[in-house]
Amino acid sequence: MSHHLFLLSPSDTPIYSLTHYSTKLPQPTSSSLSSNLPTWSTSAFAGTLTALSGASSATQSHHVQGGAVRMGGGQDRHVIQMIANASLDVIEDVMRKESAMYLKSVDKFNEWTVSAFITPGNMKFILLHETKNDDGIRSFFHDVWELYLKTMLNPFHTAHSPIRSIVFDTRVRASAKKYL
Amino acid sequence: MATTSKQYKAIGEDLWKSRTDKINSELFSLTYGALVVQLIQDYEDYAEVNKQLEKMGYNIGTRLIEDFLARSSLGRCSDFREVGEVAAKVGFKSFLNITPTVTHSGAPPPSARPTSTVQQSGVPGSSFILTLDENPLAEFVELPDEALEGGLWFSNVLCGVLRGALEMVQMQVQVEFLSDVLRGDESTEIRVTLLKYLEEEVPVGDD
């Protein structure tokens, strides 16, 4: 089960992205559901993604420690980014209405849910995930936010430059491991 | 009367506490950081930036020493060793609220004379090393790769301050950074080497 995190600047330029493979097992209900579905529908699901990405290697290209049944779920990088980009419109809509920072799940695409977090400085943190994990995700977003604040205080960092710091990367990964 | 190390620490502590104008350390770090980044953009050469930071520090140091001596009312230091102690325990403490540790080393012994165990701390060539365990100038800073390769000493202004201040009390010194945690080294170290004592000179143009 994997998560994809994207940090976007106010002008929607990507600042940082991370793919994290969770060692936590996905919820048992979803996997039993998927095993109950007849095989033709699962392959149709995978088929949607294959059709979208145009690549034939949409299924199981990575070894995941979770070990549960994989639906060939969006391993392809292009699909992930397309989902993330598509969700930006939805996020902007919700942004105008709600003043809270953590917007729970703004979009759903097949098995991927998109959660967003908008900072006061209009930075968008987008997380693609498969399972429901509101509290964990909220804590994770807060952690990433604090790490981001520390990076912003570095005088060598400009507002829209990509974050290349190894320290930031390590800490975000550690935080992801803790909460996701 | 010899002032002990503990007394210096107490003096430094008192001076820091008696200062009424203190500023937020984050503001200070951010301002200094912005200054360095701007210098880098203007000069585009890290060696030049180092030189400019040192020059700025020199100007600060020549003025700072007056303030320091007025507030601390310390007399003349008996030898260079004492200079190091005072600079670290009183000087740095009263202005930056940090106390670097001091390591002294005397002049390299001339080969003709029989070696003596007493360190000659008044001799040109003696030096001390200040080891800063924290550096308020460099909070939150991470150097980008170009700065690391270009040889930037981020806190070089401190070198200038020390040089300027000591020159006003008739000591010509060479101050340089040995290592910096921003560069990935284990600690931040500044070495101050005494070059010579300056004689009082008649200002040029005065007759």
Side-chain angles (χ1 to χ4, degrees):
Chain A
M1 190 191 57
S2 57
H3 303 267
H4 300 267
L5 172 72
F6 295 99
L7 303 190
L8 302 177
S9 78
S11 53
D12 290 339
T13 50
I15 304 257
Y16 179 75
S17 69
L18 171 72
T19 308
H20 164 76
Y21 295 108
S22 171
T23 49
K24 296 205 180 116
L25 294 170
Q27 313 291 341
T29 48
S30 61
S31 52
S32 58
L33 240 181
S34 63
S35 57
N36 280 340
L37 286 173
T39 44
W40 58 262
S41 72
T42 29
S43 59
F45 216 52
T48 331
L49 287 160
T50 330
L52 282 171
S53 62
S56 53
S57 61
T59 51
Q60 283 166 2
S61 46
H62 291 265
H63 167 65
V64 179
Q65 295 104 318
V69 173
R70 303 260 335 140
M71 307 257 287
Q75 288 297 336
D76 203 42
R77 201 81 195 132
H78 308 296
V79 181
I80 301 296
Q81 296 200 330
M82 191 206 76
I83 301 173
N85 277 312
S87 64
L88 286 178
D89 289 330
V90 186
I91 292 176
E92 276 180 30
D93 281 339
V94 182
M95 219 167 86
R96 283 175 229 289
K97 289 182 251 157
E98 253 187 81
S99 57
M101 285 191 292
Y102 174 47
L103 313 168
K104 294 205 184 69
S105 62
V106 293
D107 197 16
K108 203 160 161 46
F109 181 86
N110 290 344
E111 78 274 20
W112 290 101
T113 325
V114 181
S115 295
F117 183 91
I118 315 274
T119 71
N122 273 337
M123 279 281 296
K124 301 185 190 62
F125 301 165
I126 301 179
L127 185 69
L128 271 74
H129 54 99
E130 286 164 306
T131 57
K132 206 168 141 56
N133 188 7
D134 275 350
D135 285 332
I137 292 181
R138 179 191 285 122
S139 326
F140 176 63
F141 272 144
H142 273 284
D143 253 15
V144 172
W145 186 31
E146 278 176 34
L147 290 170
Y148 169 70
L149 287 178
K150 294 209 175 80
T151 314
M152 281 301 286
L153 288 172
N154 181 11
F156 290 99
H157 179 265
T158 52
H160 306 281
S161 59
I163 299 178
R164 290 216 179 83
S165 151
I166 308 173
V167 176
F168 179 75
D169 192 49
T170 334
R171 293 214 181 119
V172 170
R173 277 177 205 275
S175 174
K177 216 177 264 191
K178 205 165 101 179
Y179 290 117
L180 294 175
Chain B
M1 64 151 202
T3 328
T4 63
S5 163
K6 262 209 172 96
Q7 285 171 301
Y8 282 140
K9 275 200 189 147
I11 296 174
E13 191 68 43
D14 280 340
L15 281 178
W16 171 253
K17 293 223 170 77
S18 66
R19 275 192 186 272
T20 46
D21 312 311
K22 296 197 178 69
I23 75 163
N24 183 331
S25 73
E26 270 186 32
L27 174 64
F28 182 59
S29 312
L30 290 174
T31 310
Y32 183 70
L35 175 78
V36 176
V37 170
Q38 193 59 47
L39 279 177
I40 292 174
Q41 280 177 9
D42 287 345
Y43 285 101
E44 290 180 7
D45 170 28
Y46 292 103
E48 188 63 32
V49 172
N50 284 340
K51 226 168 53 146
Q52 292 299 324
L53 285 173
E54 214 264 349
K55 259 211 250 177
M56 285 163 49
Y58 179 79
N59 288 325
I60 296 174
T62 52
R63 285 171 250 270
L64 203 67
I65 187 75
E66 290 293 340
D67 183 53
F68 175 67
L69 290 173
R71 280 176 204 264
S72 68
S73 52
L74 287 170
R76 192 170 276 283
C77 290
S78 49
D79 58 9
F80 197 61
R81 185 192 188 81
E82 208 175 323
V83 171
E85 293 285 321
V86 170
K89 298 200 168 59
V90 192
F92 271 83
K93 177 71 184 170
S94 63
F95 290 112
L96 289 172
N97 200 23
I98 56 176
T99 318
T101 46
V102 199
T103 336
H104 300 273
S105 68
S111 49
R113 280 203 230 141
T115 49
S116 60
T117 45
V118 177
Q119 275 184 350
Q120 307 200 30
S121 295
V123 178
S126 41
S127 64
F128 60 86
I129 296 180
L130 296 167
T131 311
L132 284 77
D133 49 9
E134 53 164 335
N135 187 357
L137 291 172
E139 291 279 341
F140 315 121
V141 176
E142 269 178 45
L143 291 184
D145 296 326
E146 313 89 55
L148 282 171
E149 282 163 33
L152 176 73
W153 292 118
F154 190 80
S155 317
N156 214 31
V157 73
L158 294 175
C159 295
V161 171
L162 283 167
R163 184 167 74 89
L166 291 175
E167 194 165 304
M168 286 290 120
V169 281
Q170 274 79 53
M171 276 175 267
Q172 189 174 33
V173 292
Q174 186 191 357
V175 190
E176 58 195 356
F177 262 93
L178 293 176
S179 62
D180 194 358
V181 285
L182 290 177
R183 290 234 207 151
D185 302 320
E186 298 239 331
S187 57
T188 312
E189 291 177 342
I190 302 177
R191 178 172 61 201
V192 182
T193 319
L194 176 64
L195 295 175
K196 65 174 188 203
Y197 285 105
L198 300 165
E199 299 298 324
E200 288 284 354
E201 282 173 6
V202 177
V204 177
D206 252 15
D207 257 325

